[in-house]
Amino acid sequence: MIMYTLGEEDNAPSPEEALAEYIRRIRTGLALSQKALAEKSGLHLQSLGKIERGKTTRLNQKSRRALAAALEVREEYLEKLSGGVTTQPVQTIKICPNCWIPGSEPEAMWSHPRSKFCFACGTGLRSRCAGCGEAMASFRFRFCPHCGRPYKD
Ligand SMILES: [Zn+2]
Ligand SMILES: [Zn+2]
């Protein structure tokens, strides 16, 4: 079981509190100006202003982490208040130009970030059009929408 000190729990957002109010409360509690917090967190003053005015209600992971550190609060609080959306890096679709059947879903193993070669035939995997270098738009496409070259050799 993880124990948190009382001091940290004191900085928890109240149930009715919105992200904007919460950040302003913690910031003023730390006697930081908006500018000082912007500098401390590395966020743009303008971005911070938008957050505090409630114009920005969702924070990406990087901003959350930076703000949580600067405000000395747990990142989960900001995560909860910003809709709990965790930004996952978009996985790049990769295909084996040899084994892939156009129109079918590529093997999950091909798209694994560390896969470079096809597990079945050893062919170099491809995430971009061999013709123009644009990222593969969809595995439902047989041809590159940018240059018309077939994705499969
Ligand atoms: Zn293959
Ligand atoms: Zn192309």
Side-chain angles (χ1 to χ4, degrees):
M1 196 177 127
I2 306 162
M3 296 289 285
Y4 295 104
T5 67
L6 207 61
E8 277 173 309
E9 288 296 348
D10 280 346
N11 280 339
S14 69
E16 311 83 45
E17 217 165 20
L19 180 70
E21 294 156 0
Y22 178 64
I23 288 180
R24 192 176 309 137
R25 176 167 70 82
I26 302 295
R27 174 175 63 76
T28 50
L30 291 170
L32 288 172
S33 67
Q34 249 189 32
K35 192 165 174 282
L37 178 59
E39 278 165 12
K40 201 175 170 193
S41 64
L43 260 77
H44 287 290
L45 182 58
Q46 213 179 4
S47 315
L48 190 62
K50 275 189 184 169
I51 296 166
E52 286 202 8
R53 284 198 307 277
K55 300 250 182 219
T56 304
T57 51
R58 299 213 157 166
L59 300 176
N60 63 30
Q61 200 179 20
K62 197 174 155 228
S63 311
R64 271 205 313 262
R65 190 162 293 165
L67 266 179
L71 291 169
E72 295 158 37
V73 297
R74 284 163 59 194
E75 196 187 327
E76 295 96 290
Y77 294 158
L78 299 183
E79 189 175 350
K80 200 167 136 231
L81 290 170
S82 63
V85 183
T86 22
T87 42
Q88 297 259 333
V90 180
Q91 200 178 32
T92 317
I93 302 168
K94 279 184 274 189
I95 57 140
C96 167
N98 185 34
C99 304
W100 177 61
I101 301 154
S104 73
E105 195 157 342
E107 294 285 343
M109 275 172 80
W110 291 335
S111 293
H112 190 279
R114 283 156 77 183
S115 286
K116 287 192 172 65
F117 301 96
C118 174
F119 62 92
C121 73
T123 303
L125 299 172
R126 187 178 286 176
S127 63
R128 303 188 160 271
C129 167
C132 67
E134 283 289 333
M136 288 186 63
S138 168
F139 53 78
R140 288 183 202 92
F141 295 169
R142 283 157 190 268
F143 302 97
C144 171
H146 302 280
C147 72
R149 184 180 164 135
Y151 281 143
K152 197 179 155 91
D153 286 336

